[in-house]
Amino acid sequence: MSDPFAIGGEVRLKPGREASVLRRHPWVYRGALAGALPAGTVPVRVLAANGRPLGVALPGGSGGSLALRMVAFGEERWDGAALAARVRAAVELRERLNLDTDACRLVHAEGDSLPGLVVDRYAGTAVCEPYEPAWEPYLDAVGAPLEGAFGITSVLVRPPGQPPRVLRGAMPAAPVVIREGRLRFPVDLVAGQKTGFFLDQRENRRRLGSLARGARVANLFSYSGGFAVAALAGGAVRALNVDASPAALELARAAYRLNAIPVAEGDFIAGDAFRVARELVAAGERFEVVVVDPPAFVKRKAELEGGLRGYKDINLQAMRLLAPEGLLLTCSCSALVGEQEFGQALASAALDAGRALRVLERRGAGPDHPVSVFCREAAHLKAWLCAVD
Ligand code: SAH
């Protein structure tokens, strides 16, 4: 097998475009390249227009505007020892965090100096999600230091949109059951979304559970029911889950059963959350707590305007569902939607709803999702706890 660390060519940037790389920002866009990228997925040396070496990068998948992700800056090495050291450092950070769970993000891409690579741990199984084909030749080297850490016995690879395959150990029996605090959740590593579970919402699930006593809760975009289970375990009187995916709702029912929560069939609605929320409003249903956690509406810049309309509309419906003095936990996982834009969408929705909305807590992903200060736009999740009067 050829050495995946062997440099396959070099690429020069246009004059001035080296500035962000010198500030250790790992993304280089196609528009910054002065020449063509070498063919294939091999690592390339990146040079400033004047020939100054800037480091080593992996090419981005075809099509997207991201051309390169820097894996070594300046004179840093990109070799097996450097890669293993970064994976080990990422795992050791999680060990120090002392999270009350057996599931967490072990590698958070740019936040762990491994741009384009995610690794999630579900009990004894680690799932690698390489966002770029360029990561494929390195996965054996990523898997080796994972095995044994945190009691991990199996390492899987699940590229976006593909079924998982075994890298080390065996495919675990389905579904894997994980623990968050005193709650248990089933994780479908084969057909579930992303790597199987939304680990980034862990601290927000816990927070919601602490606020839900006596409340009726609407959980819009519920996926496997994480927020509903946390709320019901925290004393909510009812939780209504809405998701477009029947398979997600099946996982949510399984999550209820794992936590000995009775499954009331009417509390799982498969359908479009925009439409279902409108119907609930029209039917006069009201809730003391509403959770809105949609998929990313804005995945590229061209989607910004339409996506912001989506955030406004779903939050408008959520506010109409809220009883007076209600609590709204509203989320956006679009990295391209900043706090400014998200706040504007909420303000516009509150005006239309005729409600006063106050932001109580601006929350995000938990500490197992570190954000490099050199690449702050990688912070994707906004989860704002709001009082709606
Ligand atoms: N809150 C969840 C994660 C939600 S992910 C948790 O904490 O685990 C977003 C979910 O929205 C996915 O489950 C997806 O199936 C669902 N979804 C996408 N579009 C939808 C739509 N238009 N209406 C309802 N659900 C939708």
Side-chain angles (χ1 to χ4, degrees):
M1 220 175 83
S2 62
D3 173 13
F5 295 95
I7 302 295
E10 45 180 58
V11 64
R12 243 171 232 261
L13 303 190
K14 290 179 184 161
R17 301 304 289 265
E18 72 284 359
S20 68
V21 181
L22 290 171
R23 289 196 303 268
R24 299 187 70 87
H25 196 295
W27 297 342
V28 178
Y29 290 95
R30 268 172 227 289
L33 304 184
L37 274 180
T41 57
V42 288
V44 293
R45 191 166 305 289
V46 184
L47 306 173
N50 66 4
R52 174 177 175 178
L54 298 172
V56 178
L58 300 185
S62 55
S65 58
L66 203 58
L68 297 168
R69 297 184 198 241
M70 301 296 298
V71 288
F73 289 99
E75 299 299 307
E76 287 170 3
R77 300 180 66 89
W78 177 240
D79 57 18
L83 175 55
R86 288 186 209 172
V87 174
R88 272 198 305 272
V91 171
E92 278 160 20
L93 172 65
R94 278 51 175 196
E95 281 168 343
R96 292 209 305 276
L97 290 176
N98 237 329
L99 302 168
D100 185 11
T101 178
D102 61 4
C104 70
R105 177 146 297 185
L106 289 178
V107 171
H108 189 46
E110 280 73 4
D112 286 296
S113 299
L114 295 163
L117 179 71
V118 157
V119 183
D120 287 336
R121 172 201 174 203
Y122 298 110
T125 303
V127 184
C128 306
E129 186 181 18
Y131 283 107
E132 307 290 1
W135 269 104
E136 284 289 338
Y138 300 104
L139 293 174
D140 280 327
V142 171
L146 291 174
E147 201 176 24
F150 270 131
I152 289 168
T153 52
S154 295
V155 182
L156 312 183
V157 179
R158 195 175 162 192
Q162 291 178 36
R165 62 177 203 269
V166 174
L167 200 61
R168 293 176 162 257
M171 186 65 85
V176 167
V177 174
I178 59 149
R179 179 186 69 78
E180 272 188 4
R182 60 199 174 89
L183 306 178
R184 266 157 226 286
F185 293 103
V187 180
D188 183 346
L189 300 181
V190 176
Q193 299 187 25
K194 303 275 184 172
T195 63
F197 197 63
F198 289 88
L199 295 166
D200 53 352
Q201 291 282 20
R202 179 194 321 105
E203 311 299 326
N204 304 322
R205 279 189 280 274
R206 191 198 310 266
R207 184 71 177 110
L208 189 83
S210 76
L211 297 167
R213 183 157 301 282
R216 293 167 293 181
V217 179
N219 186 21
L220 305 182
F221 309 91
S222 66
Y223 186 51
S224 54
F227 281 111
V229 168
L232 291 164
V237 293
R238 179 193 179 195
L240 176 67
N241 296 287
V242 181
D243 200 283
S245 157
L249 292 173
E250 198 43 50
L251 278 172
R253 289 186 194 91
Y256 275 47
R257 288 191 286 269
L258 271 174
N259 293 283
I261 297 169
V263 173
E265 232 359 91
D267 285 347
F268 300 83
I269 302 182
D272 173 39
F274 290 85
R275 181 180 53 76
V276 173
R278 274 197 189 82
E279 288 168 3
L280 292 168
V281 171
E285 293 247 27
R286 294 296 177 266
F287 300 84
E288 285 73 35
V289 173
V290 174
V291 179
V292 178
D293 185 20
F297 290 154
V298 184
K299 295 208 187 71
R300 51 193 73 81
K301 284 212 173 89
E303 294 172 346
L304 189 60
E305 206 180 309
L308 289 174
R309 270 200 304 277
Y311 286 116
K312 176 194 168 176
D313 187 32
I314 195 63
N315 281 287
L316 170 59
Q317 304 311 326
M319 281 184 239
R320 290 187 170 146
L321 278 177
L322 272 170
E325 271 115 61
L327 286 178
L328 172 65
L329 179 65
T330 183
C331 310
S332 161
C333 57
S334 304
L336 288 168
V337 173
E339 297 214 327
Q340 188 68 23
E341 289 95 357
F342 191 50
Q344 273 161 5
L346 294 179
S348 167
L351 274 177
D352 282 12
R355 306 285 288 267
L357 180 145
R358 291 176 290 162
V359 181
L360 308 179
E361 293 176 7
R362 275 187 254 184
R363 307 172 61 90
D368 48 334
H369 295 67
V371 176
S372 164
V373 77
F374 303 124
C375 184
R376 295 187 298 279
E377 60 268 54
H380 64 292
L381 183 64
K382 289 150 287 289
W384 289 11
L385 179 65
C386 307
V388 180
D389 300 328

